[in-house]
């Protein structure tokens, strides 16, 4: 270990690893700190991602692909199932291996990695610029200076807070999730299943994602508004008791998905925020692996450039670079999410019934959308409301 | 009985650490940065807590409780 680094990355999830890798690729010194014992574990995620989202950063490898996905199944509250086929477009990952491999690519690019290093504060220059981290390692409190800190500390996002950025998320936008890996779930192994409605996952969705050999990643997220009355755990128990009362549970864990637009500010002198910490999750789907990797890669590249140019305020261009790539799109997704959140069970049912009339070979997500609109004039109004600010 | 004091009076929020998954939902929604979370350790930073209960509503597994009686010292 060095006495000082150009870049310190806090958190070794997909966003942190990509930030570390893209910075290290520019030839600057990078250290990535992870608070847990292992990179990639525990897994708090539905683990589904598009093939394109993965392959922008790493070559597909069967060792971290649990299932290859070619179909979506959307299930309305009355049981109507809409299947959409789309070729070989996605994967369900084995995140504990996937994250590990991503960290390895960062290491290959030259980044150093330290696990069990718990960052609990920041160092500041006289002018308030972030210039390093305080962390606990082996029971000892330590300090380490860096020119840039990249906060990839996940849903908690405390590092950004310490730097003075407003990172706390409205409890209504926090999808509190609980997820299990279960065996003996006999669903199609190439289909992602989504369930909607107030009984299964109000203001969110319930998922069953296959993981090969009839294992499945099952879970749901609910907004804090719902959590006031009934917890995610309670919804999961109800669903499992009803549909798979005897399924063996291999893992069970809670997690939080920040489903909002990106923070107003994701960089400040000496610090950049990436992934869940920056609220870079797609607010409509709750998917954050691909968008986190994109955010991390942009931040890492800009951090590396800033150090090479010896022009540290270059990191402030990161906000615009992110907004141009995905941030603005997420604002639209967020408006759609807020519209869908208000749909009643009847509305979901009537959309499903309309889409069912489209032959399966003609069903695409876009087609589903337009069909839903054409057959439900009132929905058109809802969607219009969604797009009109 | 003595109660731990929070900014607005008695601390009424209680985390049951033995059942916690350390997922960070509560930390993410806490407006006061009043929750400390390590790998397998969690606690409320008393002077910062305002008993707003957002952490309670956001906990996926009902490990954070709102206790109207207050949480005793040394618990």
């Amino acid at each position: 270990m060095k006495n000082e680094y150009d870049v310190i990355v806090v958190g070794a999830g997909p966003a942190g690893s990509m930030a570390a890798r893209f910075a290290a690729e520019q030839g600057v010194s990078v250290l990535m700190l992870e608070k847990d014992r292992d990179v990639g574990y525990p897994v708090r995620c539905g683990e589904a991602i598009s093939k394109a989202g993965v392959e922008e950063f790493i070559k597909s490898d069967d060792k971290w692909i649990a299932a290859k996905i070619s179909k979506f199944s959307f299930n309305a509250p009355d049981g109507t199932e809409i299947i959409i086929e789309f070729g070989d477009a996605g994967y369900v990952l084995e995140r504990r291996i996937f994250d590990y491999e991503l960290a390895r690519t960062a290491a290959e690019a030259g980044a150093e990695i330290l696990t069990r290093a718990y960052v609990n504060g920041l160092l500041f220059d006289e002018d308030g610029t972030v210039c390093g981290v305080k962390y606990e390692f082996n029971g000892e409190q330590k300090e380490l200076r860096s020119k840039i800190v990249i906060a990839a500390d996940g849903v908690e996002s405390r590092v950004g807070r310490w730097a003075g950025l407003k990172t706390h998320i409205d409890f209504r936008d926090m999808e509190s999730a609980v997820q299990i890996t279960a065996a003996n779930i006999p669903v199609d192994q190439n289909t992602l299943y989504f369930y909607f409605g107030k009984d299964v996952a109000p203001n969110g969705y319930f998922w069953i994602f296959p993981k090969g050999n009839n294992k499945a990643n099952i879970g749901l997220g609910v907004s804090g508004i719902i959590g006031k009355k009934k917890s995610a755990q309670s919804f999961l128990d109800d669903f499992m008791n009803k549909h798979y009362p005897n399924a063996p549970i291999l893992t069970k864990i809670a997690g939080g998905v920040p489903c909002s637009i990106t923070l107003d500010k994701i960089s400040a002198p000496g610090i950049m925020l990436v992934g869940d910490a920056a609220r870079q999750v797609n607010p409509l789907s709750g998917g954050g692996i691909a968008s986190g990797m994109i955010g991390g890669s942009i931040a890492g590249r800009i951090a590396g450039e800033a150090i090479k140019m010896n022009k540290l305020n270059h990191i402030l261009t990161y906000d615009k670079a992110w907004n141009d790539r995905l941030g603005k799109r997420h604002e639209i997704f967020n408006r759609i999410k807020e519209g869908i959140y208000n749909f009643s069970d009847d509305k979901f049912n009537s959309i499903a019934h309309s889409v069912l009339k489209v032959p399966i070979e003609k069903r695409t997500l876009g087609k589903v959308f337009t069909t839903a609109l054409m057959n439900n004039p009132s929905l058109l109004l809802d969607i219009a409301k969604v797009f009109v600010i | 009985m003595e109660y731990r004091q929070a900014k607005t009076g008695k601390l009424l929020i209680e985390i049951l650490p033995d059942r916690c998954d350390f997922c960070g939902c509560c930390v993410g929604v806490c407006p006061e940065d009043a929750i400390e979370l390590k790998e397998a350790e969690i606690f409320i930073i008393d002077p910062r807590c305002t008993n707003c209960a957002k952490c309670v509503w956001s906990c996926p597994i009902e490990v954070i409780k709102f206790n109207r009686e207050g949480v005793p010292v040394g618990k």
Side-chain angles (χ1 to χ4, degrees), chain A residues 263-278:
Chain A
L263 297 176
D264 283 346
K265 266 183 85 176
I266 53 176
S267 64
I271 187 157
M272 308 164 91
L273 272 57
V274 300
D276 285 12

Side-chain angles (χ1 to χ4, degrees), chain A residues 287-307:
Chain A
I289 311 169
S291 56
M293 288 195 290
I294 288 170
S297 67
I298 297 172
R301 174 180 56 76
I302 291 176
E305 288 168 0
I307 284 157

Side-chain angles (χ1 to χ4, degrees), chain A residues 56-74:
Chain A
E56 183 171 344
F57 298 103
I58 188 167
K59 200 166 153 283
S60 292
D61 189 332
D62 283 341
K63 74 181 164 199
W64 43 254
I65 297 172
K68 294 183 179 170
I69 299 304
S70 56
K71 279 179 266 183
F72 280 150
S73 161
F74 291 111

Side-chain angles (χ1 to χ4, degrees), chain A residues 70 115 224 230 268 336 346 348-349:
Chain A
S70 56
T115 62
K230 184 171 172 179
I336 296 175
D346 286 346
F348 277 122
N349 291 335

Side-chain angles (χ1 to χ4, degrees), chain A residues 35-37 44 116 118 136 155-156 158 161-162 168-169 171 174 176-178 224 227-228 231-234 252-256 279, chain B residues 21-41 45 48 54-62:
Chain A
K35 77 171 158 55
D36 285 340
R37 278 180 306 179
R44 305 182 195 277
R116 287 194 142 168
Y118 172 64
E136 199 180 293
V155 64
E156 298 102 308
R158 295 184 75 202
R161 262 185 226 209
W162 298 330
H168 105 270
I169 184 164
F171 76 101
M174 176 67 87
S176 299
V178 58
K228 268 183 178 183
S231 68
Q233 174 72 62
S234 180
K252 172 188 163 299
I253 200 156
R279 315 309 182 202
Chain B
D21 264 353
F22 312 103
C23 73
C25 282
C26 53
V27 182
V29 299
C30 178
E32 309 296 333
D33 194 27
I35 305 175
E36 185 74 36
L37 169 64
K38 301 186 186 180
E39 183 180 16
E41 194 183 322
I45 303 164
R48 295 187 193 166
K54 285 175 179 147
C55 54
V56 178
W57 304 329
S58 299
C59 179
I61 53 176
E62 301 172 35

Side-chain angles (χ1 to χ4, degrees), chain A residues 87-330:
Chain A
D88 61 339
Y91 300 129
V92 178
L93 300 171
E94 207 61 77
R95 277 272 318 258
R96 55 190 304 173
I97 306 172
F98 180 72
D99 284 23
Y100 199 82
E101 286 298 306
L102 289 180
R104 186 184 53 76
T105 68
E108 278 174 2
E112 295 175 40
I113 301 171
L114 189 66
T115 62
R116 287 194 142 168
Y118 172 64
V119 171
N120 52 17
L122 290 171
L123 303 175
F124 296 93
D125 274 348
E126 312 77 51
D127 64 352
T129 300
V130 175
C131 65
V133 299
K134 301 175 184 174
Y135 69 105
E136 199 180 293
F137 182 71
N138 271 343
E140 276 181 57
Q141 186 64 36
K142 298 175 180 241
E143 294 185 354
L144 196 53
R145 290 180 68 89
S146 69
K147 296 193 179 80
I148 297 167
V149 172
I150 299 182
D153 56 325
V155 64
E156 298 102 308
S157 196
R158 295 184 75 202
V159 176
R161 262 185 226 209
W162 298 330
L165 297 174
K166 187 180 164 294
T167 69
H168 105 270
I169 184 164
D170 191 291
F171 76 101
R172 285 163 288 209
D173 289 331
M174 176 67 87
E175 288 280 321
S176 299
V178 58
Q179 172 234 311
I180 57 176
T181 312
N184 303 350
I185 307 293
V187 294
D188 182 84
Q189 296 296 295
N190 305 109
T191 302
L192 296 182
Y193 294 84
F194 299 86
Y195 298 80
F196 298 90
K198 67 174 173 20
D199 288 341
V200 289
N203 287 21
Y205 62 81
F206 192 103
W207 73 80
I208 298 181
F209 296 165
K211 291 196 71 174
N213 300 314
N214 285 345
K215 289 197 307 296
N217 180 319
I218 301 176
L220 80 152
V222 294
S223 149
I225 288 268
I226 301 300
K228 268 183 178 183
K229 295 165 209 133
K230 184 171 172 179
S231 68
Q233 174 72 62
S234 180
F235 280 104
L236 180 70
D237 290 345
D238 289 353
F239 187 96
M240 293 305 287
N241 287 336
K242 188 171 169 194
H243 297 282
Y244 302 104
N246 300 316
I249 311 294
L250 305 174
T251 68
K252 172 188 163 299
I253 200 156
V257 188
C259 289
S260 66
I261 57 170
T262 308
L263 297 176
D264 283 346
K265 266 183 85 176
I266 53 176
S267 64
I271 187 157
M272 308 164 91
L273 272 57
V274 300
D276 285 12
R279 315 309 182 202
Q280 288 176 332
V281 171
N282 174 336
L284 182 57
S285 68
I289 311 169
S291 56
M293 288 195 290
I294 288 170
S297 67
I298 297 172
R301 174 180 56 76
I302 291 176
E305 288 168 0
I307 284 157
K308 279 198 308 189
M309 294 190 295
N310 198 21
K311 199 180 145 204
L312 290 181
N313 66 3
H314 175 60
I315 68 171
L316 303 178
T317 62
Y318 165 53
D319 290 55
K320 182 174 186 315
W322 162 257
N323 281 328
D324 289 347
R325 176 72 200 272
L326 276 181
K328 285 177 195 150
R329 202 189 305 177
H330 283 187

